[in-house]
Amino acid sequence: MIFAPSLLGANLLNLGEEVRRVESWGAEWIHFDQMDGHFVPNISFGPAFVAAVRKHTKLFLDVHLMLSRPMDYIDAFADAGADGITVHAEAEEPEEVLRKIHDRGLKAGICVNPGTPASALKPLLPLADLALIMTVQPGFGGQKMRPECLEKAAEICAMAKEAGKSVLIEADGGINAENAGQVLAAGVDVLVMGTGLFRAADPAGIMAAIRGSRA
Ligand code: DX5
Ligand code: ZN
């Protein structure tokens, strides 16, 4: 199990301290939500933000691009120090972008929105290391998880197996202490959590409880 706290939920006035907090909780990854105001109705961060965090941590930097034209930004995020980049199946030229991410020596992820069937990933899984299932409509943190999206995890695993691939399954949106067990039971390996950790009174306790529930 991998925890990927989403900095969208962090106190951005205190970024250095928030990165130290994530490390102190024992999280493995840090998740970045990059939005372009076109693919989603919100704007966030940018490569300089990833570069700033890179200077403060060795954790795996998991960059989720909610951009219509991700190809234009792969080099910028790779240069900023991303370890993995995930792009949407609904965005432009996903196959070429996944190849480009690998060309840059990074882990490549492919993401589906709630309204996109898992079958859309079939031609893309052979090019990916990770599949990201959105459990909310992307754009904003703090939304309620849509549990029906979790059914895609089993479908994706079956398609990957058929293609002779092994991919990590990540879920993103509305995951919290109460529903994390359900997410893991569906076959998810990587939990993205924004408000569910950053706005909680005891994030380390929540992470320990979730890990304990699977031990
Ligand atoms: C939604 C983002 C999520 C979001 C998760 O567009 O992709 O990563 O930050 O935040 P919570 O956990 O608050 O839903
Ligand atoms: Zn995300």
Side-chain angles (χ1 to χ4, degrees):
M1 173 189 326
I2 293 172
F3 282 92
S6 166
L7 289 182
L8 203 60
N11 174 2
L12 299 182
L13 272 184
N14 223 337
L15 188 56
E17 178 54 29
E18 292 292 62
V19 171
R20 274 188 293 280
R21 276 216 302 156
V22 168
E23 290 190 331
S24 76
W25 302 337
E28 290 84 357
W29 292 9
I30 297 180
H31 186 83
F32 293 79
D33 288 304
Q34 305 293 336
M35 307 182 191
D36 65 355
H38 184 262
F39 185 78
V40 288
N42 195 4
I43 295 177
S44 68
F45 309 154
F49 186 83
V50 175
V53 173
R54 177 80 290 168
K55 287 201 183 83
H56 291 277
T57 186
K58 292 191 165 52
L59 292 187
F60 185 97
L61 302 187
D62 174 38
V63 176
H64 173 195
L65 297 184
M66 286 163 270
L67 313 177
S68 295
R69 296 183 51 81
M71 186 65 106
D72 295 352
Y73 299 93
I74 300 304
D75 279 325
F77 284 105
D79 291 345
D83 294 295
I85 299 180
T86 295
V87 295
H88 275 256
E90 304 86 358
E92 288 185 21
E93 49 179 4
E95 296 188 25
E96 290 78 1
V97 181
L98 290 169
R99 287 199 185 91
K100 168 82 178 172
I101 296 168
H102 277 154
D103 286 348
R104 287 297 314 251
L106 307 182
K107 297 288 184 200
I110 189 71
C111 182
V112 270
N113 279 338
T116 304
S119 57
L121 295 185
K122 196 159 192 178
L124 301 169
L125 284 177
L127 301 166
D129 306 296
L130 174 147
L132 173 55
I133 299 167
M134 288 311 302
T135 43
V136 298
Q137 188 61 28
F140 301 91
Q143 303 181 68
K144 194 172 177 304
M145 187 182 78
R146 294 167 61 166
E148 71 276 11
C149 299
L150 295 170
E151 289 165 19
K152 292 176 192 172
E155 287 177 68
I156 293 169
C157 278
M159 283 189 291
K161 201 169 171 198
E162 210 171 290
K165 279 281 294 184
S166 144
V167 291
L168 280 176
I169 309 279
E170 184 174 27
D172 185 359
I175 300 172
N176 56 36
E178 285 69 42
N179 61 26
Q182 183 186 2
V183 178
L184 292 166
V188 171
D189 308 294
V190 185
L191 299 178
V192 177
M193 293 175 72
T195 43
L197 287 175
F198 283 101
R199 307 290 161 88
D202 180 16
I206 289 175
M207 279 180 40
I210 295 171
R211 282 195 210 278
S213 72
R214 301 296 289 175

